[in-house]
Amino acid sequence: MKTFTGYHLITPDDLHWRPSNLMKIPNADFLERTGSENMGARLWRMPPMSANTLHKHIRAEEFYFVLEGTGRIRMGEETLTVPKYGGVMVGPDQLRQVFNDTDQEVLWLIIGAPEEMEFLKGSLSDMDLSLIYPQDPTQLPKELDGVVWPPKD
């Protein structure tokens, strides 16, 4: 793992927003252009009545920080409410899922380290996805019972 040196300014115009693979949540990777192999940072724009994947990590610790709105995160069987400018530190082995059960969009900044290079594009490793998705990653928390997410095309 190489150490990043110098600095890299990232402006809003540098961000490329895209829907996530499984849950179609708009997100933008802050650090993809820097070449960092130590840390990841991503903005997640949670639409009303939506959820991201239920997952955990192999090595990465993550810090979840709410920039806009009121955040909700499922930690195992517990649900936490995170106020604007509040955050949650999560260890790699904890099953977690960010979701939004309100009618307002919520903006999260999620920072993780170390970066799990096995999951980046171009990785030569053949990862066992059950290590990060031990349960159905698309299941919704009980707070979204009756909601269909991601929306059908």
Side-chain angles (χ1 to χ4, degrees):
M1 176 179 342
K2 68 178 182 175
T3 302
F4 180 81
T5 59
Y7 67 91
H8 189 107
L9 175 64
I10 302 165
T11 68
D13 291 337
D14 295 327
L15 297 177
H16 170 70
W17 288 88
R18 67 166 190 86
S20 63
N21 293 335
L22 290 177
M23 301 300 273
K24 308 304 180 204
I25 302 294
N27 68 94
D29 190 332
F30 259 105
L31 300 181
E32 66 186 346
R33 290 169 192 78
T34 68
S36 174
E37 294 181 6
N38 299 320
M39 177 174 34
R42 204 175 272 274
L43 285 173
W44 291 90
R45 231 177 238 297
M46 301 296 297
M49 307 309 283
S50 68
N52 214 335
T53 57
L54 178 64
H55 73 284
K56 63 181 188 170
H57 287 278
I58 299 167
R59 292 179 303 280
E61 298 174 351
E62 288 184 313
F63 181 66
Y64 291 74
F65 184 79
V66 177
L67 294 165
E68 296 173 0
T70 299
R72 303 271 280 158
I73 186 168
R74 174 181 174 186
M75 303 299 297
E77 296 301 317
E78 186 177 358
T79 297
L80 304 177
T81 299
V82 186
K84 182 176 181 179
Y85 306 137
V88 180
M89 182 70 177
V90 184
D93 60 338
Q94 178 67 56
L95 203 54
R96 83 285 312 262
Q97 182 178 37
V98 173
F99 67 94
N100 182 2
D101 58 350
T102 75
D103 60 358
Q104 300 294 313
E105 183 177 85
V106 179
L107 180 63
W108 290 84
L109 172 62
I110 303 174
I111 301 169
E115 182 74 274
E116 292 176 330
M117 302 302 285
E118 300 90 344
F119 295 105
L120 296 181
K121 278 186 184 175
S123 172
L124 299 177
S125 63
D126 188 17
M127 286 301 301
D128 176 1
L129 292 179
S130 71
L131 296 173
I132 60 169
Y133 301 130
Q135 299 176 21
D136 175 5
T138 64
Q139 68 177 276
L140 300 179
K142 64 181 185 275
E143 291 84 357
L144 292 176
D145 189 38
V147 170
V148 174
W149 191 268
K152 305 294 182 211
D153 292 333

